[in-house]
Amino acid sequence: MRPDLFEAPDYYNLDELLTEEHKLVRDAAREWVKREVSPIIEDYAQKAEFPKQIIGGLAEIGAFGPYIPMEYGGAGLDQISYGLVMQEIERGDSGVRSTASVQSSLVMYPIWKYGNEAQRQKYLPKLASGEWMGCFGLTEPDHGSNPGGMVTNFEDKGDHFLLNGAKLWISNAPFAQVAVVWAKDENGRIHGLIVERGMEGFSTPETHNKWSLRASATGELIFDNVKVPKENLLPNKSGLGAPLGCLDSARYGIAWGAIGAAMDCYDTALRYSKERIQFDKPIGQFQLQQKKLAEMITEITKAQLLAWRLGVMRDNGTATSAQISMAKRNNVDMALKIAREARQMLGGMGITGEFSIMRHMMNLESVITYEGTHDIHLLITGLDITGLNAFK
Ligand SMILES: Cc1cc2nc3c(=O)[nH]c(=O)nc-3n(C[C@H](O)[C@H](O)[C@H](O)COP(=O)(O)OP(=O)(O)OC[C@H]3O[C@@H](n4cnc5c(N)ncnc54)[C@H](O)[C@@H]3O)c2cc1C
């Protein structure tokens, strides 16, 4: 892969909306990605392996629990800083951002919000430092878009719970020490359980043959009569709203992350358009190529404003789940379209690993599918504005 020459576009001077702390956090993440991720990520994606050596660095830039209070090892940052860190990581690779999102919003967040003090003390500092990695088991083989139909269940056996079932498409599963697993009790109510690697009957086979998020490890979680200690139940929230609360936090991060992937594709295509000569001119001089670039920067600017405003509302505590859905859906779709256009602008070179665009494009096919598909987020907006439920 070529040297990382990335220059972030800021067409509307949005830096003026950021505090000094926001910019410091973002710039530290940006430099780290340039130094530690860009030089290696193409190789790891090609060999379909997560680069575990970057875990310590991810922890250092605050990517594990950016908004978790410092007393639990988190970075204690606000939501805009969290978003900016996700943007910078996904500028490098959506798979690496996925690892950070899962750790922060799908593992640390439920332990922080729904766990008791002993669980917070036991797990959060180790997850914040990257000493332990976590995964989040919601999706099942027969229940993806409708997780409420899940069949994974646990029975109360007096001194422990007995967990049975299976989860599919679980990011970080193959190497995670800790899994936050959603399962139904005898009354059909959904609860979160913390399952640890090494518990008898718990296995995590890896999912192979992915053409997307190749630098992120994905696997199954299989529970065959797993005895889970009773103190591993998250006591402070149950029902489908509990996992959906985690998804709100992760989807918000994705709305920012997708901007990072889009910025990288745009920046690469812009630079290439000035260097690549055809018909004795740089291709950037042709109107067709300018149209592509002009539309890209317009869409990126709109997405940046959407994410920033959502961040302000998250910090005020006023952002709704439906507003988060809109931003996740819009920004990922925007990034995927830009990746496809940018890839064409590079001609044949666009399909190679010399440039990051094709990797971003393939990664974004997962990002537009997980954490609620493109269709599901549209239906969430539809429900919100009409009051009529298309899911029933
Ligand atoms: C790489 C990767 C990593 C992932 N990581 C995790 C993870 O860490 N943890 C986790 O729990 N899950 C994870 N997922 C799972 C992901 O969230 C699901 O794939 C997603 O929710 C969609 O579920 P599904 O694949 O079963 O598709 P389905 O739900 O079967 O959907 C198939 C199609 O039907 C459409 N559809 C479904 N219902 C409706 C409806 N009511 N109206 C209209 N259209 C509908 C969908 O939009 C989609 O186009 C991951 C997935 C991938 C690909």
Side-chain angles (χ1 to χ4, degrees):
M1 199 175 151
R2 300 190 179 201
D4 182 354
L5 302 173
F6 177 67
E7 284 175 46
D10 183 11
Y11 200 71
Y12 262 37
N13 300 329
L14 295 174
D15 264 18
E16 290 177 10
L17 298 174
L18 304 179
T19 64
E20 285 310 308
E21 183 179 60
H22 292 150
K23 286 185 266 189
L24 276 173
V25 168
R26 181 203 53 201
D27 293 348
R30 185 169 290 169
E31 282 312 307
W32 179 81
V33 167
K34 242 184 200 184
R35 205 175 54 243
E36 303 293 336
V37 177
S38 300
I40 60 153
I41 197 63
E42 183 63 31
D43 277 354
Y44 278 83
Q46 293 276 359
K47 56 187 183 187
E49 193 181 319
F50 173 71
K52 288 193 185 140
Q53 70 274 25
I54 66 171
I55 286 175
L58 280 166
E60 271 168 33
I61 61 165
F64 296 154
Y67 51 82
I68 301 285
M70 290 167 99
E71 61 180 301
Y72 300 119
L77 297 167
D78 69 4
Q79 290 288 309
I80 303 261
S81 291
Y82 160 43
L84 288 164
V85 171
M86 294 299 122
Q87 171 187 287
E88 294 308 315
I89 298 174
E90 191 146 3
R91 208 280 297 172
D93 189 77
S94 306
V96 177
R97 200 269 307 137
S98 300
T99 295
S101 287
V102 169
Q103 183 87 342
S104 298
S105 291
L106 302 183
V107 181
M108 296 177 73
Y109 178 89
I111 293 173
W112 175 44
K113 284 284 178 188
Y114 314 148
N116 58 32
E117 195 51 32
Q119 292 167 337
R120 290 186 199 118
Q121 297 288 351
K122 177 174 177 190
Y123 295 103
L124 292 179
K126 286 197 165 78
L127 290 162
S129 70
E131 185 182 339
W132 283 354
M133 294 301 292
C135 67
F136 173 89
L138 180 65
T139 305
E140 299 189 350
D142 294 327
H143 300 93
S145 297
N146 64 333
M150 69 174 66
V151 293
T152 297
N153 65 88
F154 62 96
E155 289 170 65
D156 189 335
K157 292 289 183 187
D159 64 341
H160 64 271
F161 296 122
L162 199 64
L163 178 65
N164 278 290
K167 301 286 178 180
L168 186 66
W169 295 118
I170 308 304
S171 304
N172 299 355
F175 57 76
Q177 282 84 1
V178 177
V180 170
V181 176
W182 300 95
K184 285 182 176 165
D185 66 14
E186 286 103 327
N187 301 316
R189 183 136 187 103
I190 295 171
H191 294 266
L193 295 168
I194 306 171
V195 179
E196 292 184 28
R197 185 171 295 285
M199 287 182 179
E200 206 180 325
F202 175 42
S203 56
T204 61
E206 184 157 2
T207 302
H208 295 289
N209 285 331
K210 291 183 300 168
W211 282 110
S212 176
L213 290 192
R214 287 171 64 82
S216 158
T218 313
E220 296 169 54
L221 304 178
I222 296 173
F223 315 105
D224 180 9
N225 286 320
V226 181
K227 285 184 183 173
V228 181
K230 283 199 151 170
E231 67 258 26
N232 285 26
L233 182 101
L234 296 175
N236 295 334
K237 187 152 179 165
S238 62
L240 190 58
L244 294 185
C246 308
L247 294 180
D248 270 358
S249 178
R251 288 166 178 172
Y252 165 73
I254 293 172
W256 281 93
I259 297 172
M263 291 198 305
D264 197 47
C265 293
Y266 164 77
D267 179 61
T268 304
L270 178 63
R271 189 171 305 107
Y272 193 83
S273 77
K274 295 177 192 170
E275 291 167 0
R276 176 69 176 163
I277 308 292
Q278 289 293 288
F279 300 95
D280 303 321
K281 289 181 193 168
I283 59 167
Q285 204 171 328
F286 297 118
Q287 289 182 6
L288 280 175
Q289 305 310 318
Q290 288 190 5
K291 176 174 186 288
K292 288 186 210 282
L293 291 165
E295 286 177 349
M296 284 182 208
I297 192 62
T298 307
E299 291 307 316
I300 288 171
T301 304
K302 284 153 66 179
Q304 286 170 325
L305 283 163
L306 198 62
W308 177 81
R309 175 65 191 149
L310 187 62
V312 171
M313 292 193 292
R314 292 269 300 165
D315 277 325
N316 292 339
T318 58
T320 65
S321 299
Q323 286 167 333
I324 296 168
S325 277
M326 179 185 279
K328 189 270 184 184
R329 181 176 186 275
N330 181 79
N331 289 9
V332 177
D333 186 52
M334 169 283 299
L336 189 51
K337 284 180 177 147
I338 286 178
R340 287 174 182 153
E341 291 287 353
R343 201 222 55 73
Q344 290 196 49
M345 286 189 66
L346 268 69
M349 285 310 289
I351 70 151
T352 71
E354 286 292 297
F355 295 90
S356 53
I357 296 176
M358 186 86 178
R359 179 166 43 80
H360 282 308
M361 194 180 99
M362 295 195 300
N363 283 341
L364 288 163
E365 291 291 345
S366 286
V367 182
I368 205 166
T369 298
Y370 70 20
E371 304 269 355
T373 67
H374 194 60
D375 296 331
I376 293 298
H377 288 298
L378 182 100
L379 295 178
I380 291 171
T381 306
L383 167 59
D384 198 43
I385 57 176
T386 65
L388 303 171
N389 192 341
F391 297 110
K392 287 185 178 160

